Amino acid sequence: MNTNRLSKTLAAALNAQMTKEAHASQIYLAYASWADNKGYGGIANFLFRHAEEERNHMMKILEYILKRGAEVKISAIPAPHENPASINSCFEKIFSHEVENTREVYKLVKMSLEEEDWATWNFMQWFVKEQIEEETLAKSLMDKMKIAGGEKVSSNALYSLDRDLEKTPDDARSALDVTAANP
Ligand code: FEO
């Protein structure tokens, strides 16, 4: 008896999104390592924590594919983009990446709607909400940077920003609570 409750198309799209979340995690890891190397330990700490959150997003999709009886395909994760040239550009890249990820999430919502797969549509609503938080978080980084002077930021302002981000909670707390065992 066939117990697979996902269409081939949706299973492939969910597997692809799972890899995109893993890719996002690698990007945050790369930027965090870059920031740490430049001496910005607070910013690095913030980005390392976010890399973990992206991994949780990946696991959430993986668990869903399994729950629906479809096959999980673990594939190669593309290399992260080049390191940013400045903290300002780092935050801009993060924002663009999150907007791009939102577009991918919307594609999955549209596909599940067209297939009338309401379980997947419902599952994807979590990601729609999560992306609002992710974009807000990335935008807040850019706002802080803008106030601090953007590309012309002084070392004093950068010092304060780095210290603040060390303690800044990740606003998207709901994702932090998600694990493979508790999706
Ligand atoms: Fe998994 Fe930053 O979105």
Side-chain angles (χ1 to χ4, degrees), residues 18 32 45 48-50 58 64 70 80 85 99 119 129-130 179 183:
M18 180 183 71
N45 183 296
F48 275 129
R49 280 185 278 137
H50 206 86
M58 179 202 81
Y64 179 74
V99 171
K129 188 164 166 277
E130 180 68 8
T179 62

Side-chain angles (χ1 to χ4, degrees), residues 17 21 24 28 50 53-54 57-58 97-98 101 127 130-131 134:
Q17 185 61 29
E21 299 291 348
Y28 279 100
H50 206 86
E53 183 164 324
E54 295 297 352
H57 294 172
M58 179 202 81
H97 182 80
E98 289 299 344
N101 199 43
F127 282 90
E130 180 68 8
Q131 281 310 118
E134 295 282 86

Side-chain angles (χ1 to χ4, degrees), residues 53-161:
E53 183 164 324
E54 295 297 352
R55 191 153 172 94
N56 285 341
H57 294 172
M58 179 202 81
M59 286 306 298
K60 194 171 175 76
I61 300 173
L62 184 150
E63 284 277 328
Y64 179 74
I65 298 170
L66 289 177
K67 254 189 212 166
R68 301 302 288 157
E71 195 184 338
V72 165
K73 289 191 179 134
I74 302 296
S75 48
I77 306 169
H81 314 303
E82 276 175 28
N83 281 335
S86 61
I87 296 291
N88 189 53
S89 130
C90 175
F91 292 171
E92 282 179 356
K93 277 169 178 268
I94 285 173
F95 181 76
S96 303
H97 182 80
E98 289 299 344
V99 171
E100 177 57 31
N101 199 43
T102 302
R103 279 193 205 106
E104 299 301 322
V105 165
Y106 288 180
K107 277 188 207 163
L108 266 159
V109 173
K110 189 163 184 270
M111 284 171 76
S112 50
L113 176 86
E114 282 165 0
E115 283 196 21
E116 300 187 5
D117 179 340
W118 306 122
T120 302
W121 185 89
N122 185 259
F123 170 72
M124 287 311 298
Q125 296 311 303
W126 185 91
F127 282 90
V128 170
K129 188 164 166 277
E130 180 68 8
Q131 281 310 118
I132 299 172
E133 290 183 34
E134 295 282 86
E135 286 185 15
T136 305
L137 189 66
K139 189 180 167 299
S140 78
L141 293 177
M142 282 171 56
D143 288 346
K144 282 186 175 73
M145 200 59 209
K146 196 173 160 193
I147 293 165
E151 285 295 348
K152 295 193 181 111
V153 62
S154 67
S155 18
N156 271 355
L158 213 43
Y159 175 81
S160 302
L161 184 67

